[in-house]
Amino acid sequence: MSGLTLIAEGVAGARGGRLVFEGVDLVVAPGEAVVLRGANGAGKTTLLRLLAGIATPAAGRVSFQGPASNGEPPNAATACVFVGHENAAKGPWTVDRNLAFWADLYGERAVDIDDVKARLFLSGLGERQAGALSAGQRRRLGLARALVSARTIWLLDEPTASMDAQSAARVADAIRDHCAAGGSAIVATHEPIDLPDARAFRMAAPPATSGEAA
């Protein structure tokens, strides 16, 4: 896995026309895991979306350093996979069809889908419709998108939501394995997560606006 470094410099994020954070400086090197902490409304999800290139910073810049891919310098589209609150699985499709679609979408069809299912307790569910899964199973299926993507930088929003302890441990294992292989992960969560070597990054309280207490 090619090592890429994510660099956020003076990044500010807005939601609904309102500034929710500013002045974020963050460097994430290959092999690192970073856990985002902060109160509801502090902008954890917004920051992940900015890093993923889904939204545009209100100020500052996000860049990537590392080897080129197909002759192009690294960018969010080729470096990152974002797994948000919504699992992005198509309910009428089977587990296997969703995973194959994501593998094709990210251009990594050679990935071992059976291995991905085994790692996230999805073995035996390949022919089941995603819409018929339990909440925890759907969440694990959504997270499997990161594994089949073969992207270097994982941006995960509340990855262990709706999971029991055993499933949450398996997700933490996958994140640690990814980082050990030279990838990196930024994880926004309120839940405890077994990433003992992860660096904590706390989002500050939202900036006060006129009429609000500081």
Side-chain angles (χ1 to χ4, degrees):
M1 182 177 294
S2 299
L4 293 176
T5 298
L6 181 152
I7 304 168
E9 302 171 279
V11 169
R15 184 173 57 243
R18 177 180 178 274
L19 194 67
V20 290
F21 63 81
E22 58 187 345
V24 168
D25 295 305
L26 179 64
V27 177
V28 184
E32 273 200 294
V34 174
V35 176
L36 295 183
R37 301 288 189 185
N40 289 332
K44 299 184 296 299
T45 298
T46 299
L47 177 60
L48 291 181
R49 290 172 57 83
L50 295 178
L51 298 178
I54 298 169
T56 302
R61 65 190 293 264
V62 177
S63 60
F64 302 86
Q65 290 183 353
S69 174
N70 297 322
E72 297 292 330
N75 56 60
T78 59
C80 299
V81 57
F82 170 69
V83 180
H85 290 296
E86 299 296 331
N87 296 313
K90 296 184 181 296
W93 287 7
T94 65
V95 167
D96 281 349
R97 187 179 178 190
N98 274 287
L99 291 173
F101 171 78
W102 289 328
D104 284 336
L105 177 67
Y106 288 102
E108 297 291 342
R109 189 62 184 88
V111 70
D112 187 339
I113 288 179
D114 287 336
D115 177 66
V116 169
K117 289 190 294 184
R119 293 176 68 187
L120 291 177
F121 292 148
L122 294 169
S123 296
L125 299 176
E127 296 305 313
R128 187 173 300 182
Q129 288 184 322
L133 300 176
S134 70
Q137 289 168 340
R138 286 196 302 272
R139 190 60 183 148
R140 295 199 304 277
L141 175 59
L143 288 163
R145 180 157 49 99
L147 278 70
V148 302
S149 75
R151 290 296 191 265
T152 304
I153 301 169
W154 291 1
L155 306 171
L156 309 179
D157 195 4
E158 299 291 350
T160 58
S162 303
M163 288 188 191
D164 58 28
Q166 189 178 26
S167 296
R170 187 58 64 94
V171 170
D173 288 344
I175 295 170
R176 290 196 303 271
D177 290 347
H178 176 69
C179 293
S184 59
I186 305 176
V187 182
T189 183
H190 291 288
E191 304 286 338
I193 189 165
D194 186 18
L195 298 173
D197 297 326
R199 173 162 52 102
F201 186 90
R202 180 162 291 276
M203 302 291 293
T209 58
S210 178
E212 293 182 340

